[in-house]
Amino acid sequence: MNFRNSLIVLALALAACSTPAATPPLAGAKIGGPFSLTDQDGKTVTDKSLGPKYRIMYFGYTYCPDVCPTTAQTIGAAMRSLDKSDPEVSAKVTPVFVTVDPARDTPAVLKQFVSAFYPRFVGLTGSQNAIDMARTEYGVFAARDKPSPGGGYLVEHSNAAYLMDPTNKPIALLPTEQGAAAVADEIKRWVK
């Protein structure tokens, strides 16, 4: 694990142990940065073009057999809950799914995947180099496993959904493992 990833892990651990505070738990963490990727409609999306919205940044892949669809479902359910309970907060947030498997996750594949979870979910892909650069900026680990005899493969990756502010600065790690209500509560806590 490199120094930057060690700092991210430390920041996440400290955030999990902290008590409620006025300062976001990930304030000052070296998470996030510039990117230029392609969305599910074939349009270029950058870190700047997502502003002035808060965003949920989640990295995964559509062929993932378990954690990615579960996390995407939790994020979508949290957003639908906010649509009903706090539509002003919901309108300020864009959930973003960035693939770690651009070889298979084309815009068309991403469109089908993200639309299954929430209508405003943005799916992003790009060249392997562009994806690797974005992963590095967000401290996301991903490694492709050896292909199976049929040619398919899995991609090991970190599982973190970051709430980012409109300037692409990290605010908090969303508690997706605790369910949609916990995610919605964390979003409401920080999105003003």
Side-chain angles (χ1 to χ4, degrees), residues 37-99:
L37 299 169
T38 303
D39 75 6
Q40 69 266 31
D41 296 318
K43 297 177 184 166
T44 298
V45 173
T46 69
D47 53 297
K48 303 275 189 260
S49 68
L50 288 172
K53 301 238 182 201
Y54 291 81
R55 72 271 327 236
I56 298 167
M57 297 297 291
Y58 179 65
F59 289 73
Y61 68 113
T62 66
Y63 288 82
C64 180
D66 47 24
V67 71
C68 299
T70 301
T71 301
Q73 181 177 358
T74 299
I75 292 168
M79 292 301 297
R80 283 190 301 281
S81 172
L82 290 171
D83 286 345
K84 292 177 184 170
S85 68
D86 293 280
E88 289 180 13
V89 168
S90 176
K92 295 177 183 179
V93 180
T94 300
V96 180
F97 178 88
V98 183
T99 185

